[in-house]
């Protein structure tokens, strides 16, 4: 099995976490995060939207991180990431769709993309508004996770590994030097979000987590590069 990826993509990170939690080995095929890589005819033949992640399993090719998680679940049912009861499965899908349809798309377009492409100054108003809306959504997530270890059920699920990588990316963007003039009030994160912070620490402590941590971030932060 091969995962087409670039390091630092939250959507790719979901698939990597699912693979390590299920103990499914995979190879990584790095795609250049530029027109030459993602929008090359070769890559567009795998995903016409020119985005990662893409999974190739033998002759089968699949894009969209949630679809890939569902595929992995069906192919490698244990341990389940989509619950053990109909209710849990429904609630996990609800959490995934709620996050991707109403939250992550705004984080990406209003904050992550302008910040990570070095266009923070040009899009300062949009970023400020993005952080204001993110604060509301984070308050809802903080309330949802209060008193629980995981978003749905008694163990880590696809809901957790869907939300976590994008939140980690948001916090990383919020901590960039370019953000100093934007009063997003997000950091230190645990001050207003102690329950989410505790939950993030539970994810970071999962077996295999370290090997999924973006190598590119480690390189940028000057820490030793892991296996990725
Ligand atoms: N809905 C997709 C989103 C994938 C996505 O946006 N991936 C980003 C990387 S974080 C990408 O490839 N962006 C390239 C681009 O927008 O051109 C999923 O869940 O897989």
């Amino acid at each position: 099995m091969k995962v087409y990826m670039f390091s630092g993509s939250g959507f790719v990170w979901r698939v990597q976490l699912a693979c390590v939690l299920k103990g499914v080995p995979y190879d990584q095929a790095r795609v250049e995060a530029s027109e030459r890589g993602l929008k090359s005819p070769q890559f567009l033949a795998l995903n016409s939207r020119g985005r990662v992640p893409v999974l190739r399993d033998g002759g089968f090719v699949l894009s969209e991180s949630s679809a890939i998680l569902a595929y992995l679940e069906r192919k490698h049912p244990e341990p389940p990431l989509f619950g053990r009861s109909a209710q849990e499965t429904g609630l996990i899908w609800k959490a995934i769709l709620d996050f991707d349809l109403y939250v992550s798309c705004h984080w990406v377009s209003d904050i992550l993309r302008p910040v990570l492409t070095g266009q923070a100054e040009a899009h300062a108003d949009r970023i400020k508004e993005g952080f204001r809306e993110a604060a509301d959504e984070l308050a809802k997530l903080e309330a949802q996770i209060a008193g629980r270890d995981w978003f749905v059920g008694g163990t880590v699920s696809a809901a957790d590994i869907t939300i976590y990588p994008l939140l980690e990316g948001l916090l990383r963007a919020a901590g960039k030097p370019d953000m100093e003039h934007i009063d997003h009030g997000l950091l230190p994160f645990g001050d207003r979000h102690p329950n989410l912070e505790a939950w993030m620490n539970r994810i970071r402590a999962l077996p295999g987590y370290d090997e999924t941590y973006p190598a590119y971030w480690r390189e940028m932060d000057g820490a030793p590069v892991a296996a990725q």
Side-chain angles (χ1 to χ4, degrees):
M1 221 171 56
K2 190 179 271 190
V3 178
Y4 293 81
M5 53 86 71
F6 62 74
S7 187
S9 157
F11 298 100
V12 168
W13 203 354
R14 292 172 174 178
V15 173
Q16 294 172 305
L17 283 166
C19 286
V20 300
L21 289 172
K22 285 184 173 292
V24 179
Y26 64 98
D27 292 326
Q28 298 186 132
R30 279 171 181 267
V31 184
E32 213 179 296
S34 70
E35 294 287 306
R36 271 190 310 169
L38 289 169
K39 311 300 176 205
S40 67
Q42 294 85 340
F43 191 73
L44 289 174
L46 298 175
N47 179 4
S48 59
R49 294 196 186 273
R51 290 172 184 240
V52 287
V54 171
L55 177 92
R56 186 202 279 278
D57 190 6
F60 180 68
V61 174
L62 188 65
S63 55
E64 285 300 321
S65 56
S66 308
I68 296 172
L69 298 196
Y71 173 81
L72 290 171
E73 178 81 356
R74 184 69 187 223
K75 201 163 171 200
H76 305 277
E78 291 298 327
L81 288 175
F82 285 87
R84 288 202 186 269
S85 68
Q87 286 190 359
E88 279 184 1
T89 303
L91 289 171
I92 289 165
W93 274 112
K94 193 227 173 234
I96 291 172
L97 292 172
D98 203 51
F99 186 71
D100 268 358
L101 293 175
Y102 304 106
V103 183
S104 72
C105 49
H106 296 295
W107 291 5
V108 170
S109 61
D110 297 344
I111 303 172
L112 299 176
R113 188 167 293 137
V115 172
L116 300 177
T117 55
Q119 296 181 304
E121 218 171 302
H123 296 283
D125 288 341
R126 183 177 184 178
I127 295 172
K128 278 183 201 158
E129 184 53 27
F131 274 119
R132 257 193 299 279
E133 284 174 12
D136 292 345
E137 293 298 338
L138 287 169
K140 289 183 207 160
L141 291 172
E142 173 70 10
Q144 273 176 45
I145 198 73
R148 334 177 36 93
D149 283 349
W150 307 104
F151 272 98
V152 179
T155 185
V156 63
S157 78
D160 303 289
I161 64 172
T162 289
I163 299 168
Y164 167 79
L166 276 289
L167 177 52
E168 198 71 88
L170 184 79
L171 297 185
R172 192 170 173 88
K176 294 254 174 211
D178 290 10
M179 294 296 100
E180 269 165 14
H181 61 284
I182 291 184
D183 180 24
H184 51 63
L186 213 54
L187 303 175
F189 186 61
D191 286 1
R192 288 191 202 165
H193 309 93
N195 299 308
L196 279 174
E197 173 134 299
W199 163 80
M200 289 179 91
N201 284 332
R202 275 190 284 282
I203 302 238
R204 293 175 185 132
L206 288 168
Y209 169 88
D210 279 349
E211 72 189 70
T212 68
Y213 188 86
Y216 175 59
W217 291 2
R218 278 193 217 277
E219 281 161 30
M220 284 180 75
D221 297 344
V225 180
Q228 241 185 89

